[in-house]
Amino acid sequence: MAFVDPTDPCVHCGFCLPTCASYRVLGTEMDSPRGRIHTLKAIEAGELELDATVASHFDSCLGCFACVSACPSGVRYDQLIEATRPKLNQPELRSSWQTSFRQLLLLVLPYPKRLRALLIPLRAYAGTGLQRFARRSGLLKLLGPQLEAMEALLPPLPPEGLTDRLPSLNPAQGKKRGRVGLVLGCVQRCFDPGVNEATVAVLQANGFEVVIPAHQGCCGAVSHHQGQLKQTQKLASDLVQSFSGEALDAVLVAASGCGHTMKSYEKLLDGADNFNAPVLDVHEFLANRGLSDAFLKALTPLPCTVAYHDACHMIHGQGIAAQPRNLLRAIPQLQLKEATEAGVCCGSAGIYNLVQPDEAAALGQLKADDLSSTGAEIVASANIGCSLQLRRHLSSEGPEVCHPMELLARSAGLSLAPALTTGGEASSVPPPQQHS
Ligand code: SF4
Ligand code: SF4
């Protein structure tokens, strides 16, 4: 396949540059969308070789697609980078450490059983005095930048994340309005299990029966972002298989990185069986169907300020920005704040913050500063990768990070365990108040 469609309409205007996360922190043309398009054309024309140096300028791309939203000429940079990524996996294009580290991540992260086996011994460390001591002591520097970045992202590990506790059938409450499936996400179910619990509770309270097939695996988003097509296709077809035989109105997900990949299954699976219902982000679904009258009546005031964080795979990848905000506006006395740079990546980007830790840390700090400057008490994030990245970079006195579904569940008084906490820490979200 050609690297670049020769008819691509890039006119080199540079409108995409200010939105580009990698250009923002590296400042070089080769690390911008315009520069990468130029490079691809040069490779295609035989004027440039794809060697390790050239490949590093593609590895610096976060795949956030802010450039696609910004481009007035309709350049599909997302398609260009997706076609390029598999070519970057040739062993001679990265150091052996980088190749091995990426392989290790792809052997563990998309498999909840393996991930949990690794996390169980880490429970004695994560969120404890030992972790605080190790961070203060500077000993972690000895691990090297990638492993140090992994440690820095490690949140307290709630015991609920170590098993799948949600039943496979969760009945609708009140008048039944439909039947939906829920994809749990492999990282989300381990690191932030309260998000899926809140999502199920909100859907049930809105009259939807929620089906969660036991033994469902990963959607393939992590390997998809790395251009590992065979692994992605296997994960995708296994996930589709786990939902087969269920009559559903929609297959939902509450992590936008997963949703973006699942929406591309038709192309990824190339004619093989796909879900027999549309894939939708849970915010998109609830906004389309509307919150039920009973649920709206049950919402009690949450007098707090909230900055909604746009995950790139939500706003640029799926075009979803208004729906989560409108759902949050349904909560009485909740006041939404807008960050200045809503469309710029936080630096999470799948495993980017592990494999490119310096660039990711710089972006994480910029995003944390931008969100903190709103003065909001809460940051609402609908993507687990962003949530982990933001929790790492927001100061301990800064805003708390919650999923919008957790805020809706909280306002509606839906009981969850753990309720709106991160690893057992007390939530700064005030308890709901009764309508006067
Ligand atoms: S990708 Fe689009 S915005 Fe960027 S330089 Fe080309 S035409 Fe301009
Ligand atoms: S996908 Fe994001 S990081 Fe990559 S070129 Fe586009 S804006 Fe820059």
Side-chain angles (χ1 to χ4, degrees), residues 8-17 33-34 37 67 70-75 77:
D8 97 73
C10 178
V11 293
H12 315 295
C13 64
F15 282 7
C16 52
L17 266 58
R34 184 175 63 184
I37 290 167
C67 51
C71 178
S73 303
V75 173
Y77 177 87

Side-chain angles (χ1 to χ4, degrees), residues 348-372:
S348 165
I351 60 169
Y352 188 91
N353 50 3
L354 303 178
V355 296
Q356 301 275 139
D358 294 341
E359 295 86 344
L363 288 164
Q365 201 49 58
L366 285 170
K367 181 59 74 176
D369 292 347
D370 190 28
L371 289 164
S372 298

Side-chain angles (χ1 to χ4, degrees), residues 153 187-188 255 346-350 353 381-390:
L153 285 167
V187 174
Q188 178 155 285
C346 68
S348 165
N353 50 3
S381 160
N383 188 45
I384 179 65
C386 306
S387 300
L388 294 174
Q389 171 84 341
L390 294 173

Side-chain angles (χ1 to χ4, degrees), residues 258-343:
C258 306
H260 178 257
T261 291
M262 288 160 58
K263 286 182 177 179
S264 66
Y265 275 6
E266 193 168 335
K267 185 173 160 215
L268 270 171
L269 292 174
D270 200 19
D273 280 350
N274 198 348
F275 293 117
N276 53 18
V279 171
L280 295 170
D281 181 87
V282 67
H283 305 86
E284 189 179 18
F285 176 79
L286 280 172
N288 287 353
R289 297 293 300 265
L291 297 172
S292 70
D293 290 343
F295 186 79
L296 285 168
K297 270 194 202 128
L299 291 175
T300 52
L302 288 185
C304 57
T305 47
V306 175
Y308 173 76
H309 161 69
D310 288 287
C312 296
H313 284 101
M314 188 84 103
I315 185 168
H316 305 303
Q318 301 179 63
I320 299 171
Q323 298 92 325
R325 288 175 168 84
N326 288 341
L327 290 172
L328 288 170
R329 282 192 189 100
I331 298 175
Q333 293 183 23
L334 184 150
Q335 199 189 335
L336 273 183
K337 300 268 184 184
E338 288 296 331
T340 314
E341 299 191 306

Side-chain angles (χ1 to χ4, degrees), residues 5 49 59 67 125 144 165 191 268 286 314 435:
D5 177 351
E49 204 181 318
D59 274 344
C67 51
Y125 172 80
R165 301 191 315 161
F191 288 110
L268 270 171
L286 280 172
M314 188 84 103
H435 286 298

Side-chain angles (χ1 to χ4, degrees), residues 19-23 31-33 36 60-67 77:
T19 66
C20 173
S22 58
Y23 184 72
D31 295 296
S32 77
R36 294 189 185 102
S60 69
C61 170
L62 294 102
C64 65
F65 310 144
C67 51
Y77 177 87

